[in-house]
Amino acid sequence: MLRLTKKADYGLMALKYLAEQQTLAASIRNGANPAQSAKDIAEAYHIPPQLLAKILQTLAKAGLLVSHAGTNGGYSLARSAHDITAFEVIRAIDGPLFITSCITIHGTCDLAGHCTIKEPLRKVNDSIKDLLNGIRISDLIDPAETNPSAALAGGLVSIGL
Amino acid sequence: MLRLTKKADYGLMALKYLAEQQTLAASIRNGANPAQSAKDIAEAYHIPPQLLAKILQTLAKAGLLVSHAGTNGGYSLARSAHDITAFEVIRAIDGPLFITSCITIHGTCDLAGHCTIKEPLRKVNDSIKDLLNGIRISDLIDPAETNPSAALAGGLVSIGL
DNA sequence: GCGAAGCAAGACCAAAGCGGTCGGAGATGT
DNA sequence: ACATCTCCGACCGCTTTGGTCTTGCTTCGC
Ligand code: FES
Ligand code: FES
C-alpha cells in the first residue's frame, strides 16, 4: 500500500545531498554552489548512477533543479532548500498519480457513477498531500528544525470527512 | 505516487456496502444480517464479480469478514462498522507494504547504511498510518458523524495537476 | 438424499509500471 | 579544434497488478 517509488526515494536523497553541499559551500567557502554531478551523488549513496541521472533529469525538467552541462557541470538547486517541499519532488518524479486510482488523466474513472467512497478518499488524499507539503528539503537535513505547523511529530492527525 | 490499489478500493466499497446493509437490516427488520453474497455486491457497484470474490476471501481470511457458504450464504461484517478502520482493510488487501520501499520483510534494504532520509520518511509513514487509522467505515456511510478534531494546519493548498 | 447456490483456493494470463542500462548529443575547458 | 565530461532520450527485462478461469467444497431448499 501507498508505496513510494524508489525513484522518488532517490530523488529526495539527491535533493538533500545537494542542499547540504549548497549550504556547506555558502558558509565555508565563498564560491558559488559547485554543481555536483550526477555521478558524485550516485557514488555518495551507492545507487545506480545512470538511474539517478535520469531522476535528476526529471527533476530538472520540473524546475526543481538547474543543470549545467560540460566539464565540471552538474546539478544545483533551483530554489532554496527551505522552499522546496517533498510533495513537489514526489509529484515531479512519480507523476500526478493519487491514491484513488480513479483520478486519472481522462478525468473520471468508469466507476464514477456508482462509486460511493470517492469523496472520502479524496479527503484522505488531500490530507496526505498537505502532510507532504509541510515537509521541506531543509527539514531533511536537520530533523530538529521541523516546523510545528505540520503535525508530523507523531500526533494523531484527524480529518473531517 | 501513493497509489492505493484498485483492490483496496473495491474492498472499501464492499465493506461500506455490507455496513449499510447491516445497519439497515438491524433497524428496519429484526432479523440478523442477511449475509450479502459476493455477486450481489459486485453487481451493485458494477465491478468484476470474481475479482471481488477474491478480495472478499482475503478480507475474510484477515478476520474482517465472516463468510457463510451454501445457499443464501454470503459475507457479513465480523465486527461493528464503527470498529473497523480503513487502515485494517488496506493492510489486509495490499499487504504490510509501506512507502519507503526499504522496509521489507527482510528487515533493512541494501541502502540502509547510507540512506539519510529513512527516518523522516518513516515519520511520514506513521502519520499516514494514523490518518488511515482515524477513518472507520462507519464514517464512509454517514459523513456527517465524523469526529471533529483539528484538521491539518496550514490550509488546503490545491495544486493544478 | 439430491441438486443448486454460494464460498474457497488455486493456476493462469495480459497489460502496465518500475528499475535499470545503453549509446548518442551537446556543452566546456584547453 | 579537440578531447572530455555531462546531460539527455530511447530502450529493455522484470515485477506487480488487475482480471479470468477452473476445480472443489459446504450448506441449504426440497
Ligand atoms: S473507483 Fe473510480 S470513483 Fe471510486
Ligand atoms: S532506501 Fe532503504 S533505507 Fe532509504
Side-chain angles (χ1 to χ4, degrees):
Chain A
M1 68 172 269
L2 297 174
R3 193 182 59 243
L4 184 61
T5 61
K6 222 167 198 174
K7 290 187 195 174
D9 204 1
Y10 291 159
L12 284 175
M13 277 191 257
L15 262 288
K16 174 182 179 297
Y17 181 81
L18 283 175
E20 277 176 342
Q21 295 298 322
Q22 186 163 287
T23 53
L24 194 131
S27 62
I28 296 185
R29 306 175 195 165
N30 52 0
N33 37 0
Q36 302 290 327
S37 82
K39 203 184 74 172
D40 292 342
I41 307 176
E43 285 179 356
Y45 290 105
H46 300 90
I47 57 184
Q50 317 224 32
L51 178 57
L52 183 89
K54 194 163 62 173
I55 296 170
L56 293 178
Q57 292 166 28
T58 310
L59 250 29
K61 218 174 346 184
L64 296 175
L65 294 178
V66 287
S67 63
H68 201 53
T71 316
N72 283 10
Y75 293 93
S76 47
L77 295 180
R79 274 177 273 162
S80 164
H82 210 77
D83 223 17
I84 302 178
T85 70
F87 175 73
E88 288 180 281
V89 180
I90 295 173
R91 191 189 49 166
I93 294 177
D94 282 351
L97 298 176
F98 277 101
I99 64 171
T100 35
S101 72
C102 350
I103 305 181
T104 64
I105 316 169
H106 311 76
T108 56
C109 86
D110 42 343
L111 302 172
H114 19 78
C115 176
T116 55
I117 61 172
K118 183 178 159 190
E119 263 307 302
L121 280 186
R122 209 185 52 75
K123 290 268 172 64
V124 177
N125 203 350
D126 285 346
S127 296
I128 294 177
K129 190 177 68 177
D130 289 339
L131 188 72
L132 257 36
N133 256 325
I135 302 174
R136 298 183 294 273
I137 300 296
S138 55
D139 295 336
L140 295 178
I141 302 177
D142 187 5
E145 60 161 287
T146 47
N147 61 338
S149 67
L152 175 59
L156 292 177
V157 189
S158 265
I159 58 169
L161 291 177
Chain B
M1 69 171 268
L2 296 174
R3 193 182 59 245
L4 185 61
T5 61
K6 223 167 198 175
K7 289 185 194 174
D9 203 1
Y10 291 160
L12 283 174
M13 277 190 257
L15 261 289
K16 174 183 178 295
Y17 181 81
L18 283 175
E20 277 177 342
Q21 296 298 323
Q22 186 162 287
T23 54
L24 193 131
S27 62
I28 296 184
R29 306 172 193 169
N30 52 0
N33 36 0
Q36 303 291 326
S37 83
K39 205 186 74 173
D40 291 343
I41 306 176
E43 284 178 357
Y45 291 105
H46 300 91
I47 58 185
Q50 316 225 36
L51 178 58
L52 183 89
K54 196 159 60 173
I55 296 170
L56 292 179
Q57 289 171 25
T58 309
L59 248 30
K61 217 175 344 185
L64 296 175
L65 293 178
V66 286
S67 63
H68 201 53
T71 315
N72 284 9
Y75 295 92
S76 47
L77 296 180
R79 271 176 276 163
S80 163
H82 209 77
D83 221 19
I84 301 178
T85 69
F87 176 72
E88 288 179 280
V89 180
I90 295 173
R91 192 187 45 169
I93 295 177
D94 283 351
L97 298 176
F98 276 102
I99 64 172
T100 35
S101 71
C102 350
I103 305 181
T104 63
I105 315 170
H106 310 77
T108 56
C109 86
D110 43 344
L111 302 171
H114 16 78
C115 177
T116 54
I117 61 172
K118 184 178 160 190
E119 262 308 300
L121 280 187
R122 208 184 52 75
K123 284 190 183 168
V124 176
N125 203 349
D126 285 346
S127 295
I128 295 177
K129 189 179 68 177
D130 291 337
L131 188 73
L132 257 37
N133 255 326
I135 301 174
R136 301 177 296 271
I137 64 172
S138 57
D139 296 335
L140 297 178
I141 302 177
D142 187 6
E145 61 161 286
T146 51
N147 54 347
S149 51
L152 280 171
L156 297 175
V157 185
S158 200
I159 303 180
L161 297 174

